[in-house]
Amino acid sequence: MAFAQAAAASPAATWTVRPGDALQPVIDRAAAGDVIELQRGLYTANLLIAKPLTLRGIGKPTISGGLQGDTIRVTATDVTIEGLIVRDSGDSLKDQNAGIYIRPGAHRAVIRHNDLAYNLFGLWIEKADDVRVEHNLITGKREYGSSQRGNGVQLYNTQGARIIGNHISFVRDALYVDVSHDAIFRGNRLHHSRYGTHYMNSYRNLWEDNDTYANRGGLALMEVRDQVVRNNRAWGNTDHGIMLRTLQDSVIENNVVMGNARGFFIYDVEYATLRGNLVLDNDVGVHLSAGSTRNRVDGNDFIGNREQVKYVGSRDERWGGEHGNHWGNYLGWDRNGDARGDVPYEANDMVDRLSWQHPMMKLLLASPAVQALRLVGQQFPVLRVPSVIEARPRMQPVQPQWPAWRQKLKDHPDAR
């Protein structure tokens, strides 16, 4: 039977709930600030938490929503939910059924160290600020088609969220973020979903140290500005690793983007800085289009991509700067020993395009005849199309450890 035990130094009470007890009446009787501890076991309930309190599992008890509605709905500020298995929400996309639904105004909720399983949406967070979602394991309804699943974590119209250390898979989009600003997304593992992250209309956020793999798309940032995207790993995705679409005033640095169909997909991007990124073994290293210009692209490594840059534009785009980008297929020379090429690099010139169409031609790339053909292409503009040009490419990689990343991709069971 449930009971309350007053803490010695605080007016708050701790309530202990055991299997067989009715949980909602205990929540209703508890006072603001109280702690409700659930002993290990199964509790079938659709809970409403309408006051500030802590709901804590001891030994990972399970709360099942019985496949209807939200398993837990939070309407109060300052609610903490931790140490639980929360499962079996309903499956109504219209009603946005979730394992845990953080309603508008439920600011400063803390959701940590939970397993959210077999819910339509793992977490739905709407118009709630300063929410912390930390170290949760979230999986969706695997047998549902992608369009019938919900998202792992859905953030809508929030400020100051902290989404840290979560492991999310088998949902529609692992993280779906819309109109949510001043947030931190760090240390999350996002895989086997449509998008690892689907992110729109949001500003001043930090994306750091996340892994997005074995999705259709890895990290998709759309209609955003003032982002910092650094030290992430996007690999083995069947479409893109990192999509930047209609993005301004952002820094994309020190990311590893490897083994995707497209490493970077850059569309309508201006005033961004891309530096220190390793773009490795993608079918297309960078797909660049839609007037993406006035960007600083310097100090990156482009190695082993079948097509380094797929560029759609009406004039040449010039990359490189103080540090220079390294291009694995650059065949120029460095006569003065300054570690920078003496002849410009042109992504996908006539020789590159021919080698994609006729792969056996790569055996002859160092031959005088092919070098003469490349020179002819440079001298006769009628034979070339607008491209990405770098005047003084870097001769050696910025990241000499790149072969280790290639080996990691080969060894991982989820590699394409």
Side-chain angles (χ1 to χ4, degrees):
M1 183 175 180
F3 67 93
Q5 179 181 359
S10 170
T14 297
W15 300 71
T16 299
V17 181
R18 297 180 176 86
D21 294 339
L23 182 51
Q24 186 65 55
V26 179
I27 293 173
D28 294 341
R29 289 169 56 196
D34 283 358
V35 176
I36 299 174
E37 292 187 342
L38 277 65
Q39 296 297 310
R40 182 179 177 87
L42 173 64
Y43 303 81
T44 300
N46 298 96
L47 300 179
L48 173 64
I49 302 178
K51 65 188 71 172
L53 53 76
T54 296
L55 186 62
R56 177 182 299 145
I58 305 299
K60 273 289 175 73
T62 298
I63 301 178
S64 170
L67 300 177
Q68 59 183 357
D70 304 320
T71 303
I72 300 176
R73 178 172 292 191
V74 178
T75 62
T77 61
D78 301 296
V79 170
T80 296
I81 299 173
E82 59 187 5
L84 301 172
I85 299 172
V86 181
R87 59 174 301 136
D88 301 333
S89 79
D91 61 2
S92 171
L93 290 169
K94 176 178 178 292
D95 296 327
Q96 303 157 177
N97 292 154
I100 302 175
Y101 198 134
I102 309 298
R103 298 288 294 174
H107 306 307
R108 298 178 298 281
V110 178
I111 312 298
R112 62 190 175 201
H113 299 293
N114 301 288
D115 294 353
L116 286 83
Y118 209 72
N119 301 296
L120 189 65
F121 291 85
L123 270 165
W124 185 291
I125 303 167
E126 181 176 354
K127 298 180 182 177
D129 297 338
D130 300 312
V131 171
R132 291 160 54 191
V133 179
E134 302 173 343
H135 307 292
N136 300 284
L137 173 64
I138 302 174
T139 56
K141 301 195 174 193
R142 297 191 184 198
E143 75 273 22
Y144 285 31
S146 177
S147 63
Q148 298 304 308
R149 297 175 181 172
N151 302 314
V153 176
Q154 175 114 7
L155 280 173
Y156 174 67
N157 201 358
T158 70
Q159 301 275 347
R162 300 292 182 265
I163 313 297
I164 296 174
N166 301 284
H167 186 176
I168 308 174
S169 61
F170 296 100
V171 291
R172 185 196 302 165
D173 299 332
L175 295 176
Y176 188 97
V177 183
D178 193 13
V179 197
S180 295
H181 315 306
D182 302 299
I184 294 175
F185 302 85
R186 178 185 291 131
N188 301 289
R189 293 172 59 195
L190 315 170
H191 60 95
H192 289 94
S193 301
R194 183 182 66 172
Y195 288 126
T197 298
H198 193 169
Y199 175 92
M200 303 178 66
N201 306 306
S202 302
Y203 309 138
R204 303 179 303 278
N205 293 325
L206 169 64
W207 295 84
E208 183 174 50
D209 194 30
N210 301 289
D211 283 277
T212 54
Y213 61 92
N215 306 290
R216 190 177 108 192
L219 174 60
L221 302 178
M222 296 181 279
E223 306 283 347
V224 300
R225 64 180 65 225
D226 296 311
Q227 308 294 309
V228 175
V229 181
R230 68 185 178 209
N231 298 331
N232 302 285
R233 295 156 298 277
W235 52 270
N237 298 290
T238 58
D239 190 347
H240 63 266
I242 297 179
M243 174 195 290
L244 308 175
R245 179 167 180 169
T246 314
L247 173 143
Q248 295 87 31
D249 304 310
S250 299
V251 175
I252 319 298
E253 62 182 0
N254 301 328
N255 301 286
V256 177
V257 185
M258 61 179 178
N260 308 284
R262 294 181 289 184
F264 279 99
F265 177 38
I266 301 176
Y267 182 99
D268 187 26
V269 172
E270 295 182 301
Y271 305 109
T273 296
L274 282 77
R275 63 189 176 211
N277 300 290
L278 172 60
V279 185
L280 174 68
D281 290 348
N282 303 280
D283 293 343
V284 176
V286 179
H287 186 170
L288 182 71
S289 63
S292 296
T293 188
R294 293 180 286 275
N295 300 302
R296 182 172 178 261
V297 184
D298 191 27
N300 304 283
D301 292 328
F302 300 92
I303 301 172
N305 303 294
R306 184 175 181 273
E307 184 175 359
Q308 294 281 41
V309 179
K310 182 176 182 179
Y311 176 53
V312 180
S314 59
R315 60 183 182 183
D316 289 343
E317 187 68 22
R318 299 196 174 272
W319 285 2
E322 177 184 359
H323 303 286
N325 299 294
H326 174 72
W327 303 89
N329 61 335
Y330 178 62
L331 297 177
W333 52 85
D334 174 22
R335 289 176 176 168
N336 62 3
D338 66 354
R340 305 291 291 273
D342 295 338
V343 296
Y345 174 78
E346 180 176 338
N348 305 334
D349 62 9
M350 181 170 64
V351 170
D352 289 331
R353 297 198 304 276
L354 286 172
S355 68
W356 308 142
Q357 296 174 18
H358 307 285
M360 292 299 294
M361 181 180 168
K362 293 180 180 179
L363 298 174
L364 305 174
L365 284 180
S367 71
V370 171
Q371 294 305 305
L373 184 60
R374 193 182 295 274
L375 182 62
V376 168
Q378 294 172 352
Q379 297 300 316
F380 293 91
V382 70
L383 299 177
R384 68 181 301 275
V385 295
S387 184
V388 168
I389 306 292
E390 180 158 358
R392 300 180 64 241
R394 186 184 181 96
M395 297 299 293
Q396 297 297 324
V398 179
Q399 301 188 39
Q401 75 279 17
W402 65 266
W405 285 110
R406 175 177 281 172
Q407 189 61 45
K408 286 181 181 180
L409 180 62
K410 289 181 179 178
D411 292 344
H412 201 284
D414 288 311
R416 286 192 304 136

